[in-house]
Amino acid sequence: MEHTIPIPFPFPLQNNDDADICERIAFWDSPSTLEWFRQRGYRLYVHNELAQDQPWYSEPTLGCEHSYEMQYPYSHYSSEGNSKTPLRAIDFTGKVVYAQETNDPSHHVAIKLIVTDSEEHRILQFLHSQGLEVLKENCLIPVLNILSNGPFSFVVMPRQVNFTWGGVVYFPKRGPVGNVIRIMHSLLKALAFLHENNILHRDIKLGNVLVSHFGDDDTLYENCSVRSQLQWSGQLTYCLFDFDISIMLPMDTDRTRCRLPYKLSWDGSGYQPHDTMQGEFDYDPFAYDVGTLGSVLCAHYQHLTPQIPRLAPFLDRMVTRNIPLRFNASQALQFFEAILPEIPETVINSVYHEKTKASDYECDRWEGLPPDFIKKWEDYREPPVPFSTSVLRWIYSFERMPYILPVVRLFFFRIALVPSRIGVFLRKLWSVGFPS
């Protein structure tokens, strides 16, 4: 039997905030762990004396150039300033360690601890089996290797920006609008591929998007000139990752009829649509994923509709309350790709400015657009929230109502089915008593 290393800390935890980061760091730094990975071709980053009071920092051990333009699947990296730790990495979870490939120290990787035979393990195994070209085309995290370790496994992926700071995916600010379009396109491609393979992500947010450049993570990349150059030259790639709470359904699942219990809709990113906030007792998880992505795009980019008007019907159809009318992931991608040729080069090459005021995904994205455009696309325009929906959401907002209201609605739903079931019974009885 192949040698395994025991995991000395409780894993996984219901709430990772309860993790003892020092206990986990001690495991990664132990001689037996370092040797186990060395035998498999990886040299782990070290937590040296500079990180004694900040154990979430680690840095490379093998010498390599401080700046390098890499080819996919590996990320570009650079160091700027006079930092003593130019390629320092951050991880606050203790689930991830960073390393270099022994045979090429310029290949920096992230190694994540997961549970063998878990949903996450199954999904990552599936992605690994697809090959790097498929993952590149569909903007999903490149899975380089999965190291078996008994009840646990280690997933090896290229080090990209990092696994904790969601905001840095679009830093430095004031990049081109074209880079924002690339982020949107990447997320749509990733979700379409996942849904085609019956994988529910369930935690879509910019914090779960990685970018193909890293340096000293402590800088947060707010003033990174190398990253800025990569933005403007179109060399950055973006990919969706983090399948901690994802679900892979059987391949014969009918996505149009799939429903999950309402409580599962509470998990995830905080960008969830309002599909179960009226007391629904189940929900369509594929439409929910699309609505979540739509909510993320609205929260960050809907202020671009004056420059790109077709974003208004596109976003409205991604987050519509009329779920049968909502785009599926493939339709959303097709609609967005039809927009791309219409965007003027002057817009693509203009400086992206972040929104200046908070906005909800149910706000009016059509304000200020030309009347003839609004008339053309009026069928896509989301109507105001009905009064009855507002009342149900108000009831739902009270303590315990998220548990009570779905039960009440399920009860009345079943009552409403009684007449139709009686009708079916009587027709069967009639056919038995009076055969044709």
Side-chain angles (χ1 to χ4, degrees), residues 133-140 181-197 238-240 293 329-330 332-334 336-337 340:
E133 284 303 314
V134 171
L135 300 182
K136 179 182 181 181
E137 173 61 26
N138 292 285
C139 305
L140 289 158
I181 293 170
R182 189 175 300 111
I183 294 173
M184 298 172 71
H185 196 189
S186 298
L187 286 170
L188 290 162
K189 291 170 73 173
L191 189 62
F193 179 84
L194 292 177
H195 283 193
E196 285 171 9
N197 291 283
Y238 297 88
C239 66
L240 185 64
L293 176 54
S330 178
L333 175 61
Q334 290 172 10
F336 186 82
E337 289 182 337
L340 297 180

PDB file of all heavy atoms in Angstrom, residues 133-140 181-197 238-240 293 329-330 332-334 336-337 340:
ATOM      1  N   GLU A 133      -6.978  21.533 -22.260  1.00  0.00           N
ATOM      2  CA  GLU A 133      -7.522  22.363 -23.331  1.00  0.00           C
ATOM      3  C   GLU A 133      -9.009  22.617 -23.135  1.00  0.00           C
ATOM      4  O   GLU A 133      -9.500  23.727 -23.377  1.00  0.00           O
ATOM      5  CB  GLU A 133      -7.265  21.711 -24.693  1.00  0.00           C
ATOM      6  CG  GLU A 133      -5.831  21.855 -25.168  1.00  0.00           C
ATOM      7  CD  GLU A 133      -5.379  23.312 -25.242  1.00  0.00           C
ATOM      8  OE1 GLU A 133      -6.140  24.156 -25.767  1.00  0.00           O
ATOM      9  OE2 GLU A 133      -4.277  23.614 -24.760  1.00  0.00           O
ATOM     10  N   VAL A 134      -9.735  21.598 -22.691  1.00  0.00           N
ATOM     11  CA  VAL A 134     -11.171  21.770 -22.430  1.00  0.00           C
ATOM     12  C   VAL A 134     -11.383  22.744 -21.278  1.00  0.00           C
ATOM     13  O   VAL A 134     -12.261  23.620 -21.336  1.00  0.00           O
ATOM     14  CB  VAL A 134     -11.835  20.407 -22.124  1.00  0.00           C
ATOM     15  CG1 VAL A 134     -13.277  20.595 -21.647  1.00  0.00           C
ATOM     16  CG2 VAL A 134     -11.798  19.511 -23.350  1.00  0.00           C
ATOM     17  N   LEU A 135     -10.583  22.614 -20.223  1.00  0.00           N
ATOM     18  CA  LEU A 135     -10.723  23.513 -19.075  1.00  0.00           C
ATOM     19  C   LEU A 135     -10.345  24.943 -19.446  1.00  0.00           C
ATOM     20  O   LEU A 135     -10.975  25.897 -18.985  1.00  0.00           O
ATOM     21  CB  LEU A 135      -9.863  23.009 -17.916  1.00  0.00           C
ATOM     22  CG  LEU A 135     -10.205  21.605 -17.396  1.00  0.00           C
ATOM     23  CD1 LEU A 135      -9.312  21.247 -16.219  1.00  0.00           C
ATOM     24  CD2 LEU A 135     -11.677  21.508 -17.001  1.00  0.00           C
ATOM     25  N   LYS A 136      -9.344  25.088 -20.286  1.00  0.00           N
ATOM     26  CA  LYS A 136      -8.958  26.427 -20.738  1.00  0.00           C
ATOM     27  C   LYS A 136     -10.080  27.065 -21.545  1.00  0.00           C
ATOM     28  O   LYS A 136     -10.439  28.237 -21.327  1.00  0.00           O
ATOM     29  CB  LYS A 136      -7.683  26.338 -21.587  1.00  0.00           C
ATOM     30  CG  LYS A 136      -7.206  27.683 -22.135  1.00  0.00           C
ATOM     31  CD  LYS A 136      -5.969  27.510 -23.002  1.00  0.00           C
ATOM     32  CE  LYS A 136      -5.459  28.848 -23.530  1.00  0.00           C
ATOM     33  NZ  LYS A 136      -4.259  28.676 -24.395  1.00  0.00           N
ATOM     34  N   GLU A 137     -10.650  26.325 -22.476  1.00  0.00           N
ATOM     35  CA  GLU A 137     -11.712  26.855 -23.328  1.00  0.00           C
ATOM     36  C   GLU A 137     -12.942  27.235 -22.513  1.00  0.00           C
ATOM     37  O   GLU A 137     -13.628  28.203 -22.834  1.00  0.00           O
ATOM     38  CB  GLU A 137     -12.085  25.814 -24.391  1.00  0.00           C
ATOM     39  CG  GLU A 137     -13.287  26.176 -25.240  1.00  0.00           C
ATOM     40  CD  GLU A 137     -13.094  27.462 -26.041  1.00  0.00           C
ATOM     41  OE1 GLU A 137     -11.935  27.812 -26.351  1.00  0.00           O
ATOM     42  OE2 GLU A 137     -14.105  28.112 -26.352  1.00  0.00           O
ATOM     43  N   ASN A 138     -13.195  26.495 -21.438  1.00  0.00           N
ATOM     44  CA  ASN A 138     -14.407  26.716 -20.657  1.00  0.00           C
ATOM     45  C   ASN A 138     -14.151  27.440 -19.342  1.00  0.00           C
ATOM     46  O   ASN A 138     -15.042  27.511 -18.483  1.00  0.00           O
ATOM     47  CB  ASN A 138     -15.107  25.383 -20.406  1.00  0.00           C
ATOM     48  CG  ASN A 138     -15.676  24.797 -21.682  1.00  0.00           C
ATOM     49  OD1 ASN A 138     -16.691  25.265 -22.188  1.00  0.00           O
ATOM     50  ND2 ASN A 138     -15.000  23.786 -22.222  1.00  0.00           N
ATOM     51  N   CYS A 139     -12.960  27.987 -19.188  1.00  0.00           N
ATOM     52  CA  CYS A 139     -12.654  28.915 -18.090  1.00  0.00           C
ATOM     53  C   CYS A 139     -12.910  28.311 -16.714  1.00  0.00           C
ATOM     54  O   CYS A 139     -13.528  28.929 -15.834  1.00  0.00           O
ATOM     55  CB  CYS A 139     -13.459  30.206 -18.261  1.00  0.00           C
ATOM     56  SG  CYS A 139     -13.229  30.987 -19.867  1.00  0.00           S
ATOM     57  N   LEU A 140     -12.415  27.095 -16.526  1.00  0.00           N
ATOM     58  CA  LEU A 140     -12.498  26.412 -15.239  1.00  0.00           C
ATOM     59  C   LEU A 140     -11.096  26.139 -14.723  1.00  0.00           C
ATOM     60  O   LEU A 140     -10.148  26.026 -15.498  1.00  0.00           O
ATOM     61  CB  LEU A 140     -13.286  25.109 -15.373  1.00  0.00           C
ATOM     62  CG  LEU A 140     -14.790  25.320 -15.609  1.00  0.00           C
ATOM     63  CD1 LEU A 140     -15.409  24.097 -16.263  1.00  0.00           C
ATOM     64  CD2 LEU A 140     -15.502  25.643 -14.303  1.00  0.00           C
ATOM     65  N   ILE A 181     -15.361  42.700 -19.686  1.00  0.00           N
ATOM     66  CA  ILE A 181     -16.123  41.845 -20.599  1.00  0.00           C
ATOM     67  C   ILE A 181     -15.536  40.435 -20.598  1.00  0.00           C
ATOM     68  O   ILE A 181     -16.268  39.435 -20.637  1.00  0.00           O
ATOM     69  CB  ILE A 181     -16.116  42.452 -22.014  1.00  0.00           C
ATOM     70  CG1 ILE A 181     -16.910  43.762 -22.016  1.00  0.00           C
ATOM     71  CG2 ILE A 181     -16.687  41.469 -23.035  1.00  0.00           C
ATOM     72  CD1 ILE A 181     -16.770  44.565 -23.290  1.00  0.00           C
ATOM     73  N   ARG A 182     -14.209  40.333 -20.535  1.00  0.00           N
ATOM     74  CA  ARG A 182     -13.558  39.022 -20.501  1.00  0.00           C
ATOM     75  C   ARG A 182     -13.937  38.263 -19.230  1.00  0.00           C
ATOM     76  O   ARG A 182     -14.166  37.047 -19.263  1.00  0.00           O
ATOM     77  CB  ARG A 182     -12.041  39.194 -20.590  1.00  0.00           C
ATOM     78  CG  ARG A 182     -11.280  37.873 -20.781  1.00  0.00           C
ATOM     79  CD  ARG A 182      -9.799  38.106 -20.982  1.00  0.00           C
ATOM     80  NE  ARG A 182      -9.553  38.922 -22.163  1.00  0.00           N
ATOM     81  CZ  ARG A 182      -9.103  40.173 -22.123  1.00  0.00           C
ATOM     82  NH1 ARG A 182      -8.811  40.746 -20.966  1.00  0.00           N
ATOM     83  NH2 ARG A 182      -8.917  40.857 -23.218  1.00  0.00           N
ATOM     84  N   ILE A 183     -14.010  38.956 -18.090  1.00  0.00           N
ATOM     85  CA  ILE A 183     -14.422  38.306 -16.846  1.00  0.00           C
ATOM     86  C   ILE A 183     -15.848  37.772 -16.977  1.00  0.00           C
ATOM     87  O   ILE A 183     -16.140  36.616 -16.626  1.00  0.00           O
ATOM     88  CB  ILE A 183     -14.323  39.294 -15.663  1.00  0.00           C
ATOM     89  CG1 ILE A 183     -12.862  39.676 -15.394  1.00  0.00           C
ATOM     90  CG2 ILE A 183     -14.944  38.694 -14.400  1.00  0.00           C
ATOM     91  CD1 ILE A 183     -12.691  40.769 -14.352  1.00  0.00           C
ATOM     92  N   MET A 184     -16.760  38.600 -17.488  1.00  0.00           N
ATOM     93  CA  MET A 184     -18.149  38.187 -17.659  1.00  0.00           C
ATOM     94  C   MET A 184     -18.260  36.988 -18.593  1.00  0.00           C
ATOM     95  O   MET A 184     -18.958  36.005 -18.298  1.00  0.00           O
ATOM     96  CB  MET A 184     -18.971  39.363 -18.196  1.00  0.00           C
ATOM     97  CG  MET A 184     -19.024  40.569 -17.273  1.00  0.00           C
ATOM     98  SD  MET A 184     -19.806  42.012 -18.040  1.00  0.00           S
ATOM     99  CE  MET A 184     -21.509  41.497 -18.088  1.00  0.00           C
ATOM    100  N   HIS A 185     -17.558  37.056 -19.717  1.00  0.00           N
ATOM    101  CA  HIS A 185     -17.595  35.975 -20.696  1.00  0.00           C
ATOM    102  C   HIS A 185     -17.057  34.677 -20.092  1.00  0.00           C
ATOM    103  O   HIS A 185     -17.619  33.585 -20.301  1.00  0.00           O
ATOM    104  CB  HIS A 185     -16.773  36.386 -21.921  1.00  0.00           C
ATOM    105  CG  HIS A 185     -17.032  35.545 -23.126  1.00  0.00           C
ATOM    106  ND1 HIS A 185     -16.266  35.630 -24.272  1.00  0.00           N
ATOM    107  CD2 HIS A 185     -17.961  34.586 -23.391  1.00  0.00           C
ATOM    108  CE1 HIS A 185     -16.715  34.778 -25.175  1.00  0.00           C
ATOM    109  NE2 HIS A 185     -17.736  34.127 -24.657  1.00  0.00           N
ATOM    110  N   SER A 186     -15.999  34.779 -19.316  1.00  0.00           N
ATOM    111  CA  SER A 186     -15.396  33.595 -18.702  1.00  0.00           C
ATOM    112  C   SER A 186     -16.368  32.917 -17.744  1.00  0.00           C
ATOM    113  O   SER A 186     -16.505  31.681 -17.732  1.00  0.00           O
ATOM    114  CB  SER A 186     -14.114  33.986 -17.955  1.00  0.00           C
ATOM    115  OG  SER A 186     -13.149  34.529 -18.840  1.00  0.00           O
ATOM    116  N   LEU A 187     -17.058  33.704 -16.926  1.00  0.00           N
ATOM    117  CA  LEU A 187     -18.012  33.127 -15.974  1.00  0.00           C
ATOM    118  C   LEU A 187     -19.173  32.452 -16.696  1.00  0.00           C
ATOM    119  O   LEU A 187     -19.633  31.374 -16.291  1.00  0.00           O
ATOM    120  CB  LEU A 187     -18.528  34.219 -15.042  1.00  0.00           C
ATOM    121  CG  LEU A 187     -17.540  34.693 -13.975  1.00  0.00           C
ATOM    122  CD1 LEU A 187     -18.062  35.942 -13.274  1.00  0.00           C
ATOM    123  CD2 LEU A 187     -17.282  33.597 -12.956  1.00  0.00           C
ATOM    124  N   LEU A 188     -19.655  33.058 -17.755  1.00  0.00           N
ATOM    125  CA  LEU A 188     -20.755  32.472 -18.518  1.00  0.00           C
ATOM    126  C   LEU A 188     -20.335  31.159 -19.178  1.00  0.00           C
ATOM    127  O   LEU A 188     -21.091  30.181 -19.186  1.00  0.00           O
ATOM    128  CB  LEU A 188     -21.244  33.467 -19.565  1.00  0.00           C
ATOM    129  CG  LEU A 188     -21.985  34.685 -19.006  1.00  0.00           C
ATOM    130  CD1 LEU A 188     -22.037  35.802 -20.048  1.00  0.00           C
ATOM    131  CD2 LEU A 188     -23.400  34.305 -18.572  1.00  0.00           C
ATOM    132  N   LYS A 189     -19.132  31.122 -19.731  1.00  0.00           N
ATOM    133  CA  LYS A 189     -18.638  29.896 -20.350  1.00  0.00           C
ATOM    134  C   LYS A 189     -18.474  28.788 -19.317  1.00  0.00           C
ATOM    135  O   LYS A 189     -18.823  27.627 -19.564  1.00  0.00           O
ATOM    136  CB  LYS A 189     -17.315  30.165 -21.066  1.00  0.00           C
ATOM    137  CG  LYS A 189     -17.450  31.040 -22.303  1.00  0.00           C
ATOM    138  CD  LYS A 189     -16.110  31.484 -22.855  1.00  0.00           C
ATOM    139  CE  LYS A 189     -15.386  30.366 -23.542  1.00  0.00           C
ATOM    140  NZ  LYS A 189     -14.157  30.841 -24.233  1.00  0.00           N
ATOM    141  N   ALA A 190     -17.945  29.148 -18.154  1.00  0.00           N
ATOM    142  CA  ALA A 190     -17.740  28.156 -17.096  1.00  0.00           C
ATOM    143  C   ALA A 190     -19.061  27.557 -16.639  1.00  0.00           C
ATOM    144  O   ALA A 190     -19.200  26.330 -16.507  1.00  0.00           O
ATOM    145  CB  ALA A 190     -17.010  28.790 -15.917  1.00  0.00           C
ATOM    146  N   LEU A 191     -20.057  28.415 -16.397  1.00  0.00           N
ATOM    147  CA  LEU A 191     -21.341  27.905 -15.898  1.00  0.00           C
ATOM    148  C   LEU A 191     -22.048  27.068 -16.956  1.00  0.00           C
ATOM    149  O   LEU A 191     -22.651  26.032 -16.633  1.00  0.00           O
ATOM    150  CB  LEU A 191     -22.231  29.071 -15.459  1.00  0.00           C
ATOM    151  CG  LEU A 191     -23.513  28.643 -14.731  1.00  0.00           C
ATOM    152  CD1 LEU A 191     -23.170  27.909 -13.437  1.00  0.00           C
ATOM    153  CD2 LEU A 191     -24.406  29.833 -14.438  1.00  0.00           C
ATOM    154  N   ALA A 192     -21.967  27.478 -18.220  1.00  0.00           N
ATOM    155  CA  ALA A 192     -22.600  26.688 -19.280  1.00  0.00           C
ATOM    156  C   ALA A 192     -21.993  25.290 -19.349  1.00  0.00           C
ATOM    157  O   ALA A 192     -22.716  24.283 -19.472  1.00  0.00           O
ATOM    158  CB  ALA A 192     -22.461  27.403 -20.623  1.00  0.00           C
ATOM    159  N   PHE A 193     -20.682  25.194 -19.234  1.00  0.00           N
ATOM    160  CA  PHE A 193     -20.023  23.881 -19.278  1.00  0.00           C
ATOM    161  C   PHE A 193     -20.427  23.034 -18.072  1.00  0.00           C
ATOM    162  O   PHE A 193     -20.729  21.839 -18.209  1.00  0.00           O
ATOM    163  CB  PHE A 193     -18.511  24.047 -19.311  1.00  0.00           C
ATOM    164  CG  PHE A 193     -17.758  22.741 -19.326  1.00  0.00           C
ATOM    165  CD1 PHE A 193     -17.540  22.076 -20.515  1.00  0.00           C
ATOM    166  CD2 PHE A 193     -17.278  22.177 -18.151  1.00  0.00           C
ATOM    167  CE1 PHE A 193     -16.855  20.865 -20.550  1.00  0.00           C
ATOM    168  CE2 PHE A 193     -16.598  20.966 -18.168  1.00  0.00           C
ATOM    169  CZ  PHE A 193     -16.391  20.310 -19.369  1.00  0.00           C
ATOM    170  N   LEU A 194     -20.436  23.631 -16.887  1.00  0.00           N
ATOM    171  CA  LEU A 194     -20.817  22.882 -15.693  1.00  0.00           C
ATOM    172  C   LEU A 194     -22.236  22.347 -15.812  1.00  0.00           C
ATOM    173  O   LEU A 194     -22.503  21.169 -15.523  1.00  0.00           O
ATOM    174  CB  LEU A 194     -20.687  23.772 -14.449  1.00  0.00           C
ATOM    175  CG  LEU A 194     -19.273  24.180 -14.042  1.00  0.00           C
ATOM    176  CD1 LEU A 194     -19.314  25.122 -12.841  1.00  0.00           C
ATOM    177  CD2 LEU A 194     -18.400  22.961 -13.718  1.00  0.00           C
ATOM    178  N   HIS A 195     -23.161  23.197 -16.237  1.00  0.00           N
ATOM    179  CA  HIS A 195     -24.556  22.769 -16.336  1.00  0.00           C
ATOM    180  C   HIS A 195     -24.749  21.719 -17.425  1.00  0.00           C
ATOM    181  O   HIS A 195     -25.570  20.808 -17.271  1.00  0.00           O
ATOM    182  CB  HIS A 195     -25.463  23.967 -16.580  1.00  0.00           C
ATOM    183  CG  HIS A 195     -25.714  24.773 -15.338  1.00  0.00           C
ATOM    184  ND1 HIS A 195     -26.695  25.735 -15.240  1.00  0.00           N
ATOM    185  CD2 HIS A 195     -25.117  24.746 -14.126  1.00  0.00           C
ATOM    186  CE1 HIS A 195     -26.684  26.270 -14.033  1.00  0.00           C
ATOM    187  NE2 HIS A 195     -25.726  25.694 -13.341  1.00  0.00           N
ATOM    188  N   GLU A 196     -24.012  21.823 -18.515  1.00  0.00           N
ATOM    189  CA  GLU A 196     -24.098  20.790 -19.556  1.00  0.00           C
ATOM    190  C   GLU A 196     -23.714  19.424 -18.996  1.00  0.00           C
ATOM    191  O   GLU A 196     -24.168  18.384 -19.510  1.00  0.00           O
ATOM    192  CB  GLU A 196     -23.187  21.144 -20.726  1.00  0.00           C
ATOM    193  CG  GLU A 196     -23.718  22.254 -21.627  1.00  0.00           C
ATOM    194  CD  GLU A 196     -22.674  22.710 -22.635  1.00  0.00           C
ATOM    195  OE1 GLU A 196     -21.624  22.049 -22.723  1.00  0.00           O
ATOM    196  OE2 GLU A 196     -22.919  23.715 -23.317  1.00  0.00           O
ATOM    197  N   ASN A 197     -22.896  19.431 -17.964  1.00  0.00           N
ATOM    198  CA  ASN A 197     -22.461  18.183 -17.328  1.00  0.00           C
ATOM    199  C   ASN A 197     -23.124  17.962 -15.985  1.00  0.00           C
ATOM    200  O   ASN A 197     -22.628  17.193 -15.147  1.00  0.00           O
ATOM    201  CB  ASN A 197     -20.935  18.196 -17.193  1.00  0.00           C
ATOM    202  CG  ASN A 197     -20.242  18.105 -18.535  1.00  0.00           C
ATOM    203  OD1 ASN A 197     -20.161  17.041 -19.133  1.00  0.00           O
ATOM    204  ND2 ASN A 197     -19.762  19.239 -19.035  1.00  0.00           N
ATOM    205  N   TYR A 238      -9.250  34.179 -16.881  1.00  0.00           N
ATOM    206  CA  TYR A 238     -10.015  34.077 -15.647  1.00  0.00           C
ATOM    207  C   TYR A 238     -10.702  32.720 -15.608  1.00  0.00           C
ATOM    208  O   TYR A 238     -11.148  32.204 -16.638  1.00  0.00           O
ATOM    209  CB  TYR A 238     -11.059  35.200 -15.564  1.00  0.00           C
ATOM    210  CG  TYR A 238     -10.430  36.571 -15.526  1.00  0.00           C
ATOM    211  CD1 TYR A 238     -10.132  37.247 -16.704  1.00  0.00           C
ATOM    212  CD2 TYR A 238     -10.097  37.173 -14.322  1.00  0.00           C
ATOM    213  CE1 TYR A 238      -9.524  38.493 -16.685  1.00  0.00           C
ATOM    214  CE2 TYR A 238      -9.491  38.422 -14.286  1.00  0.00           C
ATOM    215  CZ  TYR A 238      -9.210  39.074 -15.470  1.00  0.00           C
ATOM    216  OH  TYR A 238      -8.607  40.306 -15.438  1.00  0.00           O
ATOM    217  N   CYS A 239     -10.791  32.148 -14.422  1.00  0.00           N
ATOM    218  CA  CYS A 239     -11.443  30.844 -14.315  1.00  0.00           C
ATOM    219  C   CYS A 239     -12.230  30.747 -13.015  1.00  0.00           C
ATOM    220  O   CYS A 239     -11.905  31.376 -12.000  1.00  0.00           O
ATOM    221  CB  CYS A 239     -10.427  29.710 -14.404  1.00  0.00           C
ATOM    222  SG  CYS A 239      -9.266  29.625 -13.029  1.00  0.00           S
ATOM    223  N   LEU A 240     -13.290  29.951 -13.057  1.00  0.00           N
ATOM    224  CA  LEU A 240     -14.147  29.696 -11.899  1.00  0.00           C
ATOM    225  C   LEU A 240     -13.579  28.507 -11.126  1.00  0.00           C
ATOM    226  O   LEU A 240     -13.116  27.532 -11.731  1.00  0.00           O
ATOM    227  CB  LEU A 240     -15.565  29.407 -12.377  1.00  0.00           C
ATOM    228  CG  LEU A 240     -16.653  29.231 -11.313  1.00  0.00           C
ATOM    229  CD1 LEU A 240     -16.873  30.528 -10.525  1.00  0.00           C
ATOM    230  CD2 LEU A 240     -17.961  28.787 -11.975  1.00  0.00           C
ATOM    231  N   LEU A 293     -25.433  34.030 -10.783  1.00  0.00           N
ATOM    232  CA  LEU A 293     -24.456  34.680 -11.657  1.00  0.00           C
ATOM    233  C   LEU A 293     -25.000  36.012 -12.171  1.00  0.00           C
ATOM    234  O   LEU A 293     -24.273  37.016 -12.210  1.00  0.00           O
ATOM    235  CB  LEU A 293     -24.096  33.762 -12.825  1.00  0.00           C
ATOM    236  CG  LEU A 293     -23.145  34.354 -13.874  1.00  0.00           C
ATOM    237  CD1 LEU A 293     -21.864  34.889 -13.241  1.00  0.00           C
ATOM    238  CD2 LEU A 293     -22.823  33.323 -14.952  1.00  0.00           C
ATOM    239  N   ALA A 329     -28.146  28.438 -18.666  1.00  0.00           N
ATOM    240  CA  ALA A 329     -26.748  28.874 -18.787  1.00  0.00           C
ATOM    241  C   ALA A 329     -26.305  28.958 -20.239  1.00  0.00           C
ATOM    242  O   ALA A 329     -25.592  29.888 -20.636  1.00  0.00           O
ATOM    243  CB  ALA A 329     -25.842  27.927 -18.002  1.00  0.00           C
ATOM    244  N   SER A 330     -26.729  28.006 -21.060  1.00  0.00           N
ATOM    245  CA  SER A 330     -26.345  28.010 -22.477  1.00  0.00           C
ATOM    246  C   SER A 330     -26.963  29.197 -23.210  1.00  0.00           C
ATOM    247  O   SER A 330     -26.300  29.855 -24.023  1.00  0.00           O
ATOM    248  CB  SER A 330     -26.777  26.692 -23.122  1.00  0.00           C
ATOM    249  OG  SER A 330     -26.470  26.677 -24.503  1.00  0.00           O
ATOM    250  N   ALA A 332     -27.878  32.060 -21.893  1.00  0.00           N
ATOM    251  CA  ALA A 332     -27.214  33.287 -21.428  1.00  0.00           C
ATOM    252  C   ALA A 332     -25.897  33.496 -22.160  1.00  0.00           C
ATOM    253  O   ALA A 332     -25.574  34.611 -22.593  1.00  0.00           O
ATOM    254  CB  ALA A 332     -26.987  33.213 -19.918  1.00  0.00           C
ATOM    255  N   LEU A 333     -25.119  32.421 -22.305  1.00  0.00           N
ATOM    256  CA  LEU A 333     -23.848  32.522 -23.017  1.00  0.00           C
ATOM    257  C   LEU A 333     -24.077  32.919 -24.475  1.00  0.00           C
ATOM    258  O   LEU A 333     -23.377  33.797 -25.011  1.00  0.00           O
ATOM    259  CB  LEU A 333     -23.104  31.182 -22.933  1.00  0.00           C
ATOM    260  CG  LEU A 333     -21.806  31.084 -23.737  1.00  0.00           C
ATOM    261  CD1 LEU A 333     -20.777  32.109 -23.259  1.00  0.00           C
ATOM    262  CD2 LEU A 333     -21.227  29.660 -23.638  1.00  0.00           C
ATOM    263  N   GLN A 334     -25.052  32.301 -25.139  1.00  0.00           N
ATOM    264  CA  GLN A 334     -25.323  32.608 -26.549  1.00  0.00           C
ATOM    265  C   GLN A 334     -25.749  34.066 -26.717  1.00  0.00           C
ATOM    266  O   GLN A 334     -25.307  34.750 -27.661  1.00  0.00           O
ATOM    267  CB  GLN A 334     -26.404  31.675 -27.081  1.00  0.00           C
ATOM    268  CG  GLN A 334     -25.951  30.234 -27.238  1.00  0.00           C
ATOM    269  CD  GLN A 334     -27.104  29.296 -27.587  1.00  0.00           C
ATOM    270  OE1 GLN A 334     -28.200  29.734 -27.896  1.00  0.00           O
ATOM    271  NE2 GLN A 334     -26.849  27.996 -27.529  1.00  0.00           N
ATOM    272  N   PHE A 336     -25.050  36.597 -24.731  1.00  0.00           N
ATOM    273  CA  PHE A 336     -23.909  37.472 -24.458  1.00  0.00           C
ATOM    274  C   PHE A 336     -22.944  37.481 -25.637  1.00  0.00           C
ATOM    275  O   PHE A 336     -22.431  38.547 -26.022  1.00  0.00           O
ATOM    276  CB  PHE A 336     -23.197  37.011 -23.192  1.00  0.00           C
ATOM    277  CG  PHE A 336     -22.099  37.935 -22.738  1.00  0.00           C
ATOM    278  CD1 PHE A 336     -22.385  39.074 -21.996  1.00  0.00           C
ATOM    279  CD2 PHE A 336     -20.774  37.672 -23.055  1.00  0.00           C
ATOM    280  CE1 PHE A 336     -21.381  39.940 -21.587  1.00  0.00           C
ATOM    281  CE2 PHE A 336     -19.757  38.537 -22.650  1.00  0.00           C
ATOM    282  CZ  PHE A 336     -20.065  39.669 -21.913  1.00  0.00           C
ATOM    283  N   GLU A 337     -22.688  36.321 -26.216  1.00  0.00           N
ATOM    284  CA  GLU A 337     -21.758  36.260 -27.350  1.00  0.00           C
ATOM    285  C   GLU A 337     -22.326  36.985 -28.575  1.00  0.00           C
ATOM    286  O   GLU A 337     -21.559  37.466 -29.416  1.00  0.00           O
ATOM    287  CB  GLU A 337     -21.424  34.812 -27.676  1.00  0.00           C
ATOM    288  CG  GLU A 337     -20.529  34.173 -26.598  1.00  0.00           C
ATOM    289  CD  GLU A 337     -20.134  32.746 -26.897  1.00  0.00           C
ATOM    290  OE1 GLU A 337     -20.861  32.080 -27.678  1.00  0.00           O
ATOM    291  OE2 GLU A 337     -19.110  32.277 -26.348  1.00  0.00           O
ATOM    292  N   LEU A 340     -21.260  40.712 -28.174  1.00  0.00           N
ATOM    293  CA  LEU A 340     -19.849  41.080 -28.288  1.00  0.00           C
ATOM    294  C   LEU A 340     -19.493  41.804 -29.588  1.00  0.00           C
ATOM    295  O   LEU A 340     -18.800  42.827 -29.547  1.00  0.00           O
ATOM    296  CB  LEU A 340     -18.976  39.827 -28.118  1.00  0.00           C
ATOM    297  CG  LEU A 340     -19.060  39.137 -26.744  1.00  0.00           C
ATOM    298  CD1 LEU A 340     -18.153  37.903 -26.707  1.00  0.00           C
ATOM    299  CD2 LEU A 340     -18.678  40.098 -25.621  1.00  0.00           C
TER     300      LEU A 340
END
